[in-house]
Amino acid sequence: MRHFLSLAQVTREQFDHLLDVAFLLRKQREQNKPNDPVLAHRTLAMIFEKPSLRTRVSFEQAMLELGGHAIRLGWEEVGLGKREHPADVARVLSGMVHGIMARVYEHQKLIDLAEYSQVPVINALSDESHPCQALADVMTVMDEFGRDVSGRTLVFIGDGNNVAHSLAMACGTLGMRFVLASPPGYELHPRFVDRIKSHHPGLDFRTTHDSREAVAQADAVYTDTWVSMGQEDEKEKRRAVFADYQINEALLKAAPDHAIVLHCLPAYRGVEITDAVIDGPRSRVFPQAHNRLHAQKGLLAVLMGGA
Ligand code: CP
Ligand code: NVA
């Protein structure tokens, strides 16, 4: 695995190895043992075209805990594709740092970076996918149900967006069932569905417009904002269209008692999820956010440290 742009390019063996390393590094941290400095004298450049809390802090902290260093580059300084072509940015950074992570609007910019980079390129969220988030999500499901999650059902309520796309791909890799409950017109893009099915022909994947029916078989119920970064102009329209797809206590009455609730955050409380749910007994939302650190450490140790 040279780059980490999409879970479509990660085999089951590679996925398992990433998780093994992430869980091991987490265990060491929980036991107050410092991790080996496998990234000593190594630097990660982090390019952000959009805001971030979890992704920025988890990667920067991960580099620190593995003995390395991170440089944050904001959209106002790099101008990826505006001030400078991604190919030139990749060529320059390749001679100075040991890894590049980027959060971009157009996924194509990641592909361009990777094509011209001599160092690993990591997708820190694009309009297509959010594979780093899916790694942490899978860890959280495993924390609840054990390492073998095959046959478990993840139900995603809301927009068929970048987060849903990566989750569906992760479910395919791990043999989980994936159900998307979305309003008509907001399903996963057919291009993504084709890609998921071509990589995972055996994936039990279905779409419904009925969230109550969807959660009935859920082991994990997941949601994300209805208005992703870059869609702010559609906020009013989307909030009206998605109004019946909120995760609230009434909906969760239709779910099995053991079902947990996940959200990648940031959450719009009272919109796609209620306070009672996100702060309630089924919520694993904050351990899920903390798993971003451990997942990113596993990823960086493998990609940049040869773990
Ligand atoms: N979930 C996630 O990626 O959060 P940030 O946008 O804050 O990085
Ligand atoms: N779908 C959201 C995820 C945020 C972490 C977005 O792209 O804004």
Side-chain angles (χ1 to χ4, degrees):
M1 192 174 28
R2 205 161 120 65
H3 303 293
F4 189 74
L5 302 191
S6 160
L7 291 178
Q9 294 146 0
V10 179
T11 65
R12 173 66 196 255
E13 291 68 30
Q14 289 169 333
F15 202 111
D16 284 341
H17 180 58
L18 284 174
L19 292 170
D20 286 344
V21 178
F23 279 120
L24 176 71
L25 295 171
R26 185 178 76 178
K27 194 170 166 193
Q28 291 171 348
R29 193 178 197 270
E30 284 166 353
Q31 294 171 343
N32 290 320
K33 290 185 195 148
N35 300 134
D36 290 338
V38 292
L39 299 183
H41 310 297
R42 304 207 146 234
T43 299
L44 177 72
M46 310 191 295
I47 301 172
F48 285 96
E49 290 193 327
K50 305 178 183 181
S52 171
L53 172 69
R54 282 143 289 273
T55 305
R56 188 262 168 100
V57 175
S58 60
F59 271 99
E60 190 161 336
Q61 183 67 10
M63 286 302 296
L64 182 79
E65 292 188 19
L66 295 174
H69 177 65
I71 301 173
R72 179 189 182 275
L73 298 159
W75 52 90
E76 67 286 0
E77 24 192 351
V78 180
L80 199 60
K82 296 188 184 77
R83 182 169 184 265
E84 195 160 5
H85 193 280
D88 290 344
V89 172
R91 287 187 182 107
V92 171
L93 288 177
S94 293
M96 297 189 182
V97 300
H98 308 90
I100 302 169
M101 72 86 117
R103 168 166 286 195
V104 298
Y105 283 99
E106 297 97 19
H107 190 81
Q108 184 60 42
K109 286 185 186 170
L110 291 169
I111 294 173
D112 292 343
L113 280 172
E115 186 179 348
Y116 291 94
S117 176
Q118 300 298 314
V119 298
V121 176
I122 297 170
N123 175 0
L125 182 147
S126 72
D127 54 346
E128 286 199 1
S129 56
H130 196 4
C132 293
Q133 179 67 50
L135 279 180
D137 300 341
V138 161
M139 288 180 76
T140 315
V141 173
M142 291 175 170
D143 286 339
E144 193 69 25
F145 300 112
R147 191 66 195 260
D148 180 6
V149 290
S150 59
R152 295 279 176 185
T153 302
L154 193 148
V155 177
F156 189 98
I157 314 273
D159 190 17
N161 63 14
N162 45 7
V163 170
H165 179 196
S166 289
L167 276 171
M169 200 64 89
C171 286
T173 305
L174 297 173
M176 293 177 69
R177 295 157 73 203
F178 183 80
V179 181
L180 174 69
S182 72
Y186 293 87
E187 300 88 354
L188 271 177
H189 193 286
R191 191 161 51 90
F192 297 158
V193 176
D194 289 347
R195 189 183 300 166
I196 293 162
K197 288 190 171 165
S198 76
H199 281 86
H200 302 293
L203 172 64
D204 187 347
F205 169 42
R206 73 187 175 87
T207 302
T208 173
H209 303 308
D210 182 346
S211 47
R212 281 183 66 80
E213 173 267 317
V215 299
Q217 306 296 325
D219 295 296
V221 181
Y222 198 120
T223 194
D224 179 17
T225 181
W226 298 334
V227 185
S228 283
M229 292 179 274
Q231 296 174 334
E232 289 78 8
D233 290 351
E234 298 174 41
K235 182 170 157 185
E236 295 314 316
K237 177 185 158 205
R238 282 177 165 266
R239 285 200 172 179
V241 169
F242 283 91
D244 290 339
Y245 292 83
Q246 183 187 65
I247 300 192
N248 51 40
E249 287 174 301
L251 175 69
L252 292 178
K253 285 202 173 80
D257 288 343
H258 70 268
I260 59 169
V261 171
L262 302 171
H263 191 310
C264 59
L265 300 175
Y268 296 87
R269 287 168 172 258
V271 182
E272 75 272 6
I273 191 165
T274 59
D275 286 334
V277 170
I278 200 168
D279 298 327
R282 292 180 186 266
S283 173
R284 301 293 181 272
V285 168
F286 295 102
Q288 177 188 7
H290 300 156
N291 276 335
R292 288 295 303 275
L293 171 64
H294 313 299
Q296 264 59 119
K297 281 164 83 171
L299 179 64
L300 290 167
V302 170
L303 277 183
M304 288 169 60

